[in-house]
Amino acid sequence: AAIMAAAVARRGRLGREGRASLCSFLLGASVAALPLLLGSSPSLLAAPGLRGRLALALHVAGVNAALLLIYPRPLYKIAVRACFLGFAFGCGLLLSAGRSAWRHFGWYMCSLSLFHYSEYLVTAINNPRSLSLDSFLLNHSFEYNLAALSSWVEFTLEKLFFPELKQITWLSTVGLLMVIFGDCLRKAAMLTAGSNFNHIVQNEKSDTHTLVTSGVYGWFRHPSYVGWFYWSIGTQVLLCNPICVVGYALASWRFFRERIEEEEITLIHFFGEEYLEYKRKVPSGLPFIKGVKLEL
């Protein structure tokens, strides 16, 4: 949060899309204040009675009505997505603060929602020209959505049949640290790259496109991918999902190997010998991935 605040100050004020998303995210996250308003414990969400369920329903309906009144249609599409992520973040806080068996899943909800929202917010700060609804990465791909669904199914089934597996706090803590490290590294890469960063591999070089080799790019050639790689695996370690830990590691490794090769072909085309020299000095950052191989 401090890094993003400094970036906003350095690059100027957020545009209206960024401001709308931030206000909506915070409005959705305000669900975390419901226990205080109701005078109940944070376990409201884990085992809600009629009063708790009614409070959640009224919160969702009230916030959505407010967004419809405040924002015109184009901004409402942004606001409702940011609000949904904020609501998920707030619900994650409620689960995390309680002492239920779903506590670690609350950590996961906070991590997942904050990751997707911060993707949009950092893009709004760095490269507003490329900002779109896709910047939330909520519709990243069918495979990504299937992977998320698989992790939820595994967690639920193993919680039913092997509940003790989901109460290994030290392992979930390791996963949470991986998630924090991965997301911070990715956002640092996005902020360092500035307007050079784009969620879509660019096939044409713009006039402002430069090769970034400073900051975290001095550690790895692809720090945003390194961050995402360890973030994704960390989410499954956090959930104590042994099957998805292996599945996520293999699928992510294959995806980033192909993505890095595709991107490096473009970068060599853009920057020529300058990128080749950088490639020789700095590793990709991902295990056993060296990037595109050049035929001599």
Side-chain angles (χ1 to χ4, degrees), residues 79-185:
V80 74
R81 286 165 173 78
C83 183
F84 165 75
L85 291 170
F87 181 77
F89 182 81
C91 289
L93 288 178
L94 290 177
L95 286 177
S96 301
R99 296 187 176 276
S100 74
W102 291 89
R103 182 185 181 192
H104 297 157
F105 194 82
W107 295 0
Y108 168 80
M109 288 179 66
C110 289
S111 304
L112 186 66
S113 56
L114 190 59
F115 171 83
H116 283 283
Y117 174 66
S118 59
E119 289 289 309
Y120 184 90
L121 183 62
V122 173
T123 303
I125 296 169
N126 267 351
N127 195 5
R129 291 185 178 182
S130 70
L131 192 65
S132 70
L133 293 178
D134 291 339
S135 300
F136 284 108
L137 296 186
L138 290 173
N139 57 342
H140 179 269
S141 66
F142 171 78
E143 292 79 8
Y144 181 82
N145 294 334
L146 181 62
L149 179 62
S150 299
S151 72
W152 304 339
V153 170
E154 180 182 353
F155 181 88
T156 303
L157 291 177
E158 289 175 352
K159 186 177 180 301
L160 287 173
F161 296 103
F162 310 103
E164 66 283 354
L165 180 62
K166 302 305 177 184
Q167 300 303 313
I168 309 176
T169 299
W170 70 265
L171 185 59
S172 290
T173 302
V174 170
L176 182 60
L177 292 175
M178 290 176 65
V179 163
I180 293 172
F181 165 77
D183 203 9
C184 287
L185 178 60

Side-chain angles (χ1 to χ4, degrees), residues 107-108 111-112 115 169-187 223-241 244-246 248-250 252 286-287:
W107 295 0
Y108 168 80
S111 304
L112 186 66
F115 171 83
T169 299
W170 70 265
L171 185 59
S172 290
T173 302
V174 170
L176 182 60
L177 292 175
M178 290 176 65
V179 163
I180 293 172
F181 165 77
D183 203 9
C184 287
L185 178 60
R186 178 169 172 82
K187 297 311 182 292
S224 67
Y225 295 159
V226 176
W228 197 348
F229 178 76
Y230 288 107
W231 173 87
S232 65
I233 298 173
T235 60
Q236 301 312 299
V237 176
L238 190 161
L239 291 176
C240 300
N241 280 353
C244 279
V245 165
V246 176
Y248 270 52
L250 294 176
S252 297
L286 288 168

Side-chain angles (χ1 to χ4, degrees), residues 8-115:
V8 172
R10 186 171 67 250
R11 291 183 171 86
R13 296 173 59 186
L14 276 172
R16 62 173 188 165
E17 291 87 355
R19 291 195 301 271
S21 74
L22 183 57
C23 291
S24 301
F25 180 85
L26 295 175
L27 195 59
S30 66
V31 69
L34 282 182
L36 294 176
L37 297 176
L38 297 175
S40 60
S41 68
S43 60
L44 167 74
L45 191 66
L50 180 60
R51 187 185 181 196
R53 293 178 182 178
L54 181 60
L56 289 173
L58 289 175
H59 180 275
V60 171
V63 167
N64 187 59
L67 295 179
L68 282 169
L69 290 173
I70 296 171
Y71 297 114
R73 184 67 178 175
L75 284 180
Y76 172 75
K77 292 180 179 180
I78 297 168
V80 74
R81 286 165 173 78
C83 183
F84 165 75
L85 291 170
F87 181 77
F89 182 81
C91 289
L93 288 178
L94 290 177
L95 286 177
S96 301
R99 296 187 176 276
S100 74
W102 291 89
R103 182 185 181 192
H104 297 157
F105 194 82
W107 295 0
Y108 168 80
M109 288 179 66
C110 289
S111 304
L112 186 66
S113 56
L114 190 59
F115 171 83

